[in-house]
Amino acid sequence: MKVLNCLHRSHPGGAHWRIILVSQRLEKYYGIETMIAFPQDDCDLYSGHLEKIGFPYVRIRMQVLRRKVSSLVRFFASFPRGVRAFSRVLEEQSISIVTVNGITNLQPVVSALMSNRKVLWYFNDMATPKVFVTLVSPLFQHPNVQLAVATDAISEHYGLRARSPILYLPAPVPSPEGYDDEPVSREALGLPSDAVIVGFIGNLVPIKGVDDLIRAVIPIMRQRADVHAVVVGPTVPTQSDYARRLQAEVATTPFADRIHFVGFRRNIPSWQRLFDVFVLASHSDACPNVVLEAMQAGTPLVVTRVGDTPRMRGQLPFPMVEPGDIEGLCRGIEEMLGLSPGARGELSQRLQRRVQALYSLEKVTDEHARIYRELSSRRRRSFRRTV
């Protein structure tokens, strides 16, 4: 069995790393091969990493769908070309199942159905307008399509209905041993050995709420001279104006020397272990890997109530606030920084036990393998006869 796993963004995020981790175990333990497909553009961060580890991939010239009218026009004008490109890959690589990440990632869906292949369509965000989901919903009824969601909140948000029961497929927590990057340290950042670090990890885009994090931590910096904020994450080419504006605003504050933008980093577990508190400030998210990585590292955290974070948290005693609640983030950070050593140690152990019990890479890989085998056993149906 060979799977083509399709992404609609070249700039790496949680889904990109999840695919690599799961695919490596699928091949090792189940003999299921994977090739990754993603857009051809100017961002080479992901392709560079894939080449480094020897993972097969293909880049396809396809227009990414955005909300601007000009983007919509280009998307639909280039749609047939994208479908043909995917069709060639499916034939040349003898692909049997196509996994599609993202609701708007339509070219590989149509290509797979036209060539009578099975589709695992994985929905992992809630940022797509509901009207678009309604327009493409007839595809959900095709017998060759299996929908899966990173969190049940996605199904509820869009009112999803499909021919087959919609599957819950959470993101896995990666194994720290799978990273070969050098560890990070306060000294390497030029910070005092006793610096207290409030950390953020995510692309520098508005939806991730990095500006909320900075506004929340500044009042704490006024009270404590040992607190620093470290922002790990790259500038996304389409949001470069936002990133520049954000850093310019930081430069005007009295605490510019204590807010550190370190850019793209691959060794996330090392950064999570460095942080005294990790903050997820997202306005919208589905199943954020960074929360699982913080839990795995045993790092106290503060999160916004988005996507699957309520399920991730369960009954654990760390703060959860509504998106955009800057005062709530501030209070939550202060609460976690104020933990006694004993309370911090107990919370760390509980975080690690929960993430291993519910989100281990082994469990999620086993579920992928089960779904692929079940899909492979289904009788194929023609796209033209049913849609």
Side-chain angles (χ1 to χ4, degrees), residues 2 36 46 67 74 130 146 152 159 182 185 239 242 311:
K2 191 169 184 180
I36 300 176
Y46 193 52
R67 300 193 184 196
R74 289 193 297 270
K130 291 183 179 181
Q146 173 65 62
D152 297 332
E182 290 296 322
S185 66
Q239 298 285 349
Y242 169 79
R311 191 202 305 251

Short mmCIF file of all heavy atoms in Angstrom, two decimals, residues 2 36 46 67 74 130 146 152 159 182 185 239 242 311:
data_model
loop_
_atom_site.label_atom_id
_atom_site.label_comp_id
_atom_site.label_asym_id
_atom_site.label_seq_id
_atom_site.Cartn_x
_atom_site.Cartn_y
_atom_site.Cartn_z
N LYS A 2 0.53 2.21 -0.85
CA LYS A 2 1.27 3.45 -0.91
C LYS A 2 0.31 4.63 -0.82
O LYS A 2 -0.69 4.69 -1.52
CB LYS A 2 2.09 3.54 -2.20
CG LYS A 2 3.10 4.68 -2.21
CD LYS A 2 4.04 4.57 -3.39
CE LYS A 2 5.11 5.65 -3.34
NZ LYS A 2 6.05 5.54 -4.49
N ILE A 36 4.87 12.61 0.34
CA ILE A 36 4.21 13.85 0.72
C ILE A 36 4.15 14.80 -0.48
O ILE A 36 5.14 14.94 -1.20
CB ILE A 36 4.95 14.53 1.88
CG1 ILE A 36 4.99 13.60 3.10
CG2 ILE A 36 4.30 15.85 2.26
CD1 ILE A 36 5.78 14.13 4.27
N TYR A 46 10.46 23.20 4.50
CA TYR A 46 9.97 21.83 4.64
C TYR A 46 10.68 20.88 3.69
O TYR A 46 11.11 19.80 4.09
CB TYR A 46 8.46 21.81 4.41
CG TYR A 46 7.78 20.53 4.82
CD1 TYR A 46 7.96 19.99 6.09
CD2 TYR A 46 6.92 19.87 3.95
CE1 TYR A 46 7.31 18.83 6.48
CE2 TYR A 46 6.25 18.71 4.33
CZ TYR A 46 6.46 18.19 5.59
OH TYR A 46 5.82 17.04 5.97
N ARG A 67 -8.84 34.34 0.96
CA ARG A 67 -10.14 35.04 0.94
C ARG A 67 -10.18 36.20 -0.04
O ARG A 67 -11.26 36.71 -0.32
CB ARG A 67 -10.47 35.53 2.35
CG ARG A 67 -10.57 34.38 3.34
CD ARG A 67 -11.19 34.81 4.64
NE ARG A 67 -11.20 33.73 5.62
CZ ARG A 67 -11.93 33.70 6.71
NH1 ARG A 67 -12.73 34.72 6.97
NH2 ARG A 67 -11.88 32.70 7.55
N ARG A 74 -7.55 33.15 -9.24
CA ARG A 74 -6.39 32.34 -9.60
C ARG A 74 -6.58 30.87 -9.22
O ARG A 74 -6.15 29.96 -9.95
CB ARG A 74 -5.13 32.90 -8.94
CG ARG A 74 -4.65 34.22 -9.53
CD ARG A 74 -3.25 34.55 -9.06
NE ARG A 74 -3.18 34.73 -7.61
CZ ARG A 74 -3.36 35.89 -7.00
NH1 ARG A 74 -3.62 36.99 -7.71
NH2 ARG A 74 -3.27 35.98 -5.68
N LYS A 130 -17.67 28.90 6.61
CA LYS A 130 -18.68 27.83 6.55
C LYS A 130 -19.33 27.73 5.19
O LYS A 130 -19.71 26.63 4.75
CB LYS A 130 -19.74 28.08 7.63
CG LYS A 130 -19.24 27.88 9.04
CD LYS A 130 -20.35 28.07 10.05
CE LYS A 130 -19.84 27.86 11.48
NZ LYS A 130 -20.91 28.02 12.49
N GLN A 146 -13.54 9.20 3.01
CA GLN A 146 -13.68 9.03 4.46
C GLN A 146 -13.23 10.30 5.14
O GLN A 146 -12.09 10.73 5.01
CB GLN A 146 -12.83 7.85 4.96
CG GLN A 146 -12.80 7.71 6.46
CD GLN A 146 -14.16 7.37 7.05
OE1 GLN A 146 -14.74 6.34 6.74
NE2 GLN A 146 -14.71 8.25 7.88
N ASP A 152 -13.49 16.79 17.67
CA ASP A 152 -14.93 16.78 17.44
C ASP A 152 -15.50 18.18 17.27
O ASP A 152 -16.56 18.36 16.67
CB ASP A 152 -15.64 16.09 18.62
CG ASP A 152 -15.24 14.63 18.75
OD1 ASP A 152 -14.89 14.02 17.72
OD2 ASP A 152 -15.27 14.10 19.87
N GLY A 159 -21.08 21.45 11.27
CA GLY A 159 -22.25 20.60 11.09
C GLY A 159 -21.99 19.52 10.04
O GLY A 159 -22.84 19.28 9.16
N GLU A 182 20.76 20.30 18.32
CA GLU A 182 21.47 20.63 19.55
C GLU A 182 20.50 21.21 20.58
O GLU A 182 19.58 21.94 20.22
CB GLU A 182 22.57 21.64 19.26
CG GLU A 182 23.74 21.07 18.45
CD GLU A 182 24.49 20.00 19.21
OE1 GLU A 182 24.65 20.14 20.44
OE2 GLU A 182 24.89 19.01 18.58
N SER A 185 19.80 26.68 25.40
CA SER A 185 20.09 27.07 26.78
C SER A 185 19.90 28.56 26.94
O SER A 185 19.86 29.32 25.96
CB SER A 185 21.53 26.70 27.14
OG SER A 185 22.44 27.47 26.37
N GLN A 239 2.31 36.79 5.47
CA GLN A 239 1.98 37.62 6.62
C GLN A 239 3.20 38.41 7.09
O GLN A 239 3.32 38.75 8.28
CB GLN A 239 1.48 36.72 7.77
CG GLN A 239 0.22 35.95 7.45
CD GLN A 239 -1.01 36.83 7.46
OE1 GLN A 239 -0.96 37.98 7.91
NE2 GLN A 239 -2.11 36.32 6.97
N TYR A 242 2.55 41.70 8.99
CA TYR A 242 2.15 41.50 10.39
C TYR A 242 3.38 41.27 11.27
O TYR A 242 3.50 41.87 12.35
CB TYR A 242 1.20 40.30 10.50
CG TYR A 242 0.94 39.85 11.92
CD1 TYR A 242 0.04 40.53 12.74
CD2 TYR A 242 1.61 38.74 12.44
CE1 TYR A 242 -0.19 40.12 14.05
CE2 TYR A 242 1.38 38.32 13.75
CZ TYR A 242 0.48 39.00 14.54
OH TYR A 242 0.25 38.59 15.84
N ARG A 311 -10.23 19.00 25.69
CA ARG A 311 -10.02 17.56 25.85
C ARG A 311 -8.57 17.27 26.26
O ARG A 311 -8.31 16.40 27.09
CB ARG A 311 -10.33 16.84 24.54
CG ARG A 311 -10.40 15.31 24.71
CD ARG A 311 -10.18 14.58 23.39
NE ARG A 311 -11.07 14.99 22.35
CZ ARG A 311 -12.08 14.27 21.85
NH1 ARG A 311 -12.33 13.07 22.33
NH2 ARG A 311 -12.81 14.73 20.86
#
